[in-house]
Amino acid sequence: MEPRKQRLMPWLYQKIEDGRTPGLFWIDKETLLFQMPCVHAKKKNGGVARDALLYKEWAINSGKYIPGRDEPDPTTWKINFRCALNSLRGYVNLEKIDEIEGYKHMRFVRRALEEQLELDQARAIGRKLLEQTRRRSSERSGFRERNGLRDLVVAGWLRSFWVQSRTG
């Protein structure tokens, strides 16, 4: 089964929470204010290359980049990430950008974040139930196939017994 693709808002929240993405962290978790890397590609400090991890992870999650199959393209990853982020207007507020050398301060809208996290959790539960149902169905069909084979063997034995008894 294809891996589950998370929506941007829960995915970004999870990335902030785990704290493993450079430059992405809570400034004030109570008010849901966070800092995110965002450097213009023309800057000479290697902005896109440095921040590419966040964009690459989003590209992998969204299915736009498959390592080993696709050519790495950090600029396209960043464009796709920014487009997805722009689609969250009303869910994420862009704070006044402090030009702290290529970082944006953003704030989640609490109600929207909670709804998205609940929806994401419900989707995960639904997907798990679907997988279990498919697995059970597959096991039942395997049982039917095994029993069907046994029935064919028994039927073949009975037919050969009947033929032998008639000729014998």
Side-chain angles (χ1 to χ4, degrees), residues 75-135:
T75 304
T76 301
W77 299 339
K78 182 177 180 181
I79 291 168
N80 290 339
F81 180 81
R82 300 252 339 250
C83 286
L85 197 59
N86 287 336
S87 73
L88 293 179
R89 295 220 187 274
Y91 300 104
V92 176
N93 292 333
L94 185 61
E95 295 291 309
K96 179 74 176 161
I97 299 174
D98 294 333
E99 276 302 322
I100 308 172
E101 200 49 44
Y103 292 96
K104 286 186 179 182
H105 293 173
M106 305 186 89
R107 184 185 315 270
F108 287 117
V109 175
R110 185 173 302 279
R111 183 178 46 80
L113 176 63
E114 289 169 354
E115 287 173 4
Q116 288 287 313
L117 291 173
E118 286 176 16
L119 180 62
D120 197 55
Q121 186 176 20
R123 287 177 68 205
I125 291 169
R127 197 166 185 97
K128 189 174 185 177
L129 289 173
L130 181 63
E131 287 174 18
Q132 290 173 350
T133 302
R134 285 181 178 161
R135 196 175 314 115

Side-chain angles (χ1 to χ4, degrees), residues 40-57:
H40 196 280
K42 291 182 181 177
K43 297 276 184 178
K44 298 296 181 197
N45 64 0
V48 174
R50 184 193 71 216
D51 301 335
L53 179 60
L54 176 64
Y55 310 135
K56 178 182 179 182
E57 289 175 349

Side-chain angles (χ1 to χ4, degrees), residues 31-65:
T31 63
L32 301 175
L33 181 67
F34 63 96
Q35 179 171 298
M36 185 182 82
C38 188
V39 176
H40 196 280
K42 291 182 181 177
K43 297 276 184 178
K44 298 296 181 197
N45 64 0
V48 174
R50 184 193 71 216
D51 301 335
L53 179 60
L54 176 64
Y55 310 135
K56 178 182 179 182
E57 289 175 349
W58 174 247
I60 291 169
N61 177 69
S62 63
K64 302 290 185 192
Y65 174 66

